[in-house]
Amino acid sequence: MRFVFFFQFILVLLAAQGAAACGADSDCRIGDRHYRIAWPEDARAPVGAIVFAHGYRGSAAAVMRNSGLRRMAAEEGLALIALKSLDRDWVIPHAPGHAGTDGAREFAYVEAVLADVARRYPLDTGRVMGAGFSSGAMLIWNLACAMPERFAGFVAVAGTFWQRPPARCATPVESLVHIHGQSDPTVPLTGRAIRETWQGDVREALSMYRRLGGFHAAQPAGIEGLTCEGWRNARGEILDFCLHPGGHSLRTAYIRAGLDRLREAGQM
């Protein structure tokens, strides 16, 4: 009998170790999908997080190799959660090769990631920021539309909806900071044709979100190296649009600036 109990104990222990055996350098599996996570050392629980979506042909592993992003999250006492697209790119509405999708599979995956992280770690679910670059920012705009209640706010760098904003979005909206290069040739501010579809117009997306969230002109953010416009609504949510003079680029400073803006607005 003792052997049976000991054997059962070993199985439970191994299962627990297997559940925790993932992190920045190994995949956290969810069915046939995965993500990676860097948990801050010596952080006071519960811990908030930056959920980051990679660009075209990117990976969770590549996000974790971004030492600047890793260091920034750790300095801020936040976990960094790196998502991995279903395909080479995010399967979201109107994306190339995915004309008929409504994005539901990616949205369900993000929901599953958040649930899995909360199961493994003491996650502060009220302080989770969604961020992404390029096509990852396109996913972020879609998350802001489809499941805003799961995030404290969003930071999108160099990407917006494919084709046009959706006809309907969930409310109430959350704060969103959009950062873009004035001379971006890869994802121009007004978009461009890609295969059978086209990239959307950034200002069209911002106009939709302003109307949806009841945003009115406010004091723009003062962020070094960026020229910003700003709006705020009655709930205190912010909508920022900031331009830098460069092209299609991601800097850790952009994510930190977005995080700072969300904190100033009372989120994160």
Side-chain angles (χ1 to χ4, degrees):
M1 185 64 71
R2 287 182 179 177
F3 176 78
V4 172
F5 285 141
F6 178 75
F7 183 69
Q8 291 175 334
F9 171 77
I10 292 298
L11 288 178
V12 171
L13 180 61
L14 289 174
Q17 290 176 337
C22 71
D25 301 315
S26 57
D27 296 341
C28 302
R29 305 298 311 188
I30 309 176
D32 62 349
R33 303 287 296 271
H34 71 271
Y35 67 94
R36 292 197 177 190
I37 182 168
W39 194 259
E41 296 181 4
D42 303 321
R44 299 178 66 179
V47 170
I50 299 171
V51 176
F52 193 87
H54 62 73
Y56 179 58
R57 289 187 174 177
S59 67
V63 171
M64 286 299 167
R65 289 195 293 269
N66 186 327
S67 59
L69 190 59
R70 289 269 302 272
R71 184 168 52 252
M72 184 274 288
E75 290 172 353
E76 298 292 342
L78 298 171
L80 177 63
I81 301 169
L83 304 176
K84 174 61 182 78
S85 59
L86 178 63
D87 198 355
R88 291 184 301 174
D89 204 359
W90 302 99
V91 181
I92 52 179
H94 309 298
H98 304 294
T101 186
D102 60 359
R105 292 179 69 186
E106 297 288 22
F107 304 149
Y109 159 71
V110 173
E111 189 73 62
V113 168
L114 294 175
D116 195 63
V117 172
R119 179 179 64 84
R120 296 174 187 266
Y121 298 95
L123 177 68
D124 185 346
T125 57
R127 290 194 302 125
V128 176
M129 179 181 92
F133 171 64
S134 193
S135 66
M138 296 173 182
L139 174 67
I140 290 302
W141 268 99
N142 276 272
L143 292 176
C145 184
M147 44 192 293
E149 75 285 355
R150 301 295 280 120
F151 294 87
F154 302 91
V155 179
V157 181
T160 185
F161 297 109
W162 284 99
Q163 294 192 3
R164 63 185 68 86
R168 297 183 183 83
C169 286
T171 54
V173 302
E174 295 294 340
S175 294
L176 191 151
V177 178
H178 184 100
I179 299 174
H180 217 107
Q182 287 179 316
S183 57
D184 190 334
T186 305
V187 185
L189 286 164
T190 55
R192 67 184 176 109
I194 301 287
R195 288 161 53 187
E196 77 282 4
T197 185
W198 66 91
Q199 298 163 345
D201 186 302
V202 171
R203 287 194 177 274
E204 186 178 354
L206 290 164
S207 294
M208 178 278 292
Y209 213 65
R210 280 204 311 271
R211 293 192 300 271
L212 181 71
F215 289 99
H216 302 282
Q219 182 69 28
I223 303 173
E224 184 177 358
L226 301 179
T227 302
C228 300
E229 300 175 58
W231 301 269
R232 182 180 290 268
N233 67 14
R235 295 179 63 238
E237 307 293 346
I238 62 168
L239 177 61
D240 285 353
F241 175 41
C242 298
L243 292 172
H244 61 82
H248 195 67
S249 63
L250 172 68
R251 296 182 180 179
T252 300
Y254 300 157
I255 306 301
R256 188 189 290 275
L259 174 61
D260 288 344
R261 286 293 295 158
L262 294 183
R263 283 178 168 162
E264 289 170 11
Q267 289 89 14
M268 292 302 296

